[in-house]
Amino acid sequence: MMQGRNGPTGPDSPDQESGGPAGDVYEWFQRGVQLLKDGSPAAAAALLARAADAEPESRSIREALARAQFNSRRYADAADSFRWIVSANPTEDYAYFGLGMSLWRTGDMEAAQEPLTIAVAMRPDHGDYVSALRQVKATLRARES
């Protein structure tokens, strides 16, 4: 049995007995990121949610969780996660972009416009940010017509 940051890990650890993931928070994070890269966002989100519960102040875990939630089409959850990142660190342009994209996918174009505008203001050279903002603005203009 190994001693992880959150106590013992290994075949006889309490996590294994309770059906939870083996290892410590860092291992959960690493496995979650790998699952996300391998195209299993729902599995990644489950593991990363566990890591976020254990380390609630970790922005890197929250970002990976938000990406996993977004990629598994849990857009409202992703918006909440990106919103947490923005409130913890208002200089995270990617979090504003993710928040805007998540709100867009929930259908709330009006709410999506503000974080996308902020992302573009922070990184005007980032084509994905600019393109997303243009599309949201075009949709809003079309709705007004």
Side-chain angles (χ1 to χ4, degrees):
M1 184 181 303
M2 297 177 354
Q3 183 72 23
R5 277 181 44 187
N6 292 325
T9 61
D12 299 322
S13 71
D15 277 339
Q16 287 300 305
E17 292 169 8
S18 68
D24 64 12
V25 175
Y26 182 74
E27 291 170 317
W28 301 344
F29 171 69
Q30 291 296 312
R31 288 197 318 258
V33 168
Q34 190 60 52
L35 284 166
L36 189 55
K37 286 179 185 175
D38 291 344
S40 299
L47 194 55
L48 291 165
R50 181 79 159 232
D53 287 343
E55 294 285 341
E57 299 304 312
S58 172
R59 287 195 312 258
S60 57
I61 291 173
R62 292 283 185 149
E63 182 182 313
L65 172 60
R67 289 178 21 238
Q69 290 166 328
F70 185 89
N71 289 345
S72 59
R73 299 181 178 167
R74 294 173 40 202
Y75 302 121
D77 292 336
D80 288 342
S81 293
F82 281 120
R83 199 175 282 115
W84 183 94
I85 297 166
V86 164
S87 68
N89 186 359
T91 64
E92 291 283 343
D93 61 281
Y94 181 78
Y96 283 105
F97 174 68
L99 175 56
M101 293 298 292
S102 298
L103 292 169
W104 178 5
R105 294 296 195 267
T106 67
D108 193 348
M109 293 291 179
E110 291 81 13
Q113 186 173 358
E114 181 180 347
L116 288 173
T117 299
I118 294 169
V120 169
M122 294 171 88
R123 293 280 313 273
D125 59 319
H126 202 294
D128 290 339
Y129 295 6
V130 172
S131 176
L133 179 59
R134 278 192 197 130
Q135 290 178 48
V136 166
K137 285 182 172 184
T139 300
L140 289 171
R141 278 193 306 273
R143 286 181 180 174
E144 289 175 2
S145 300

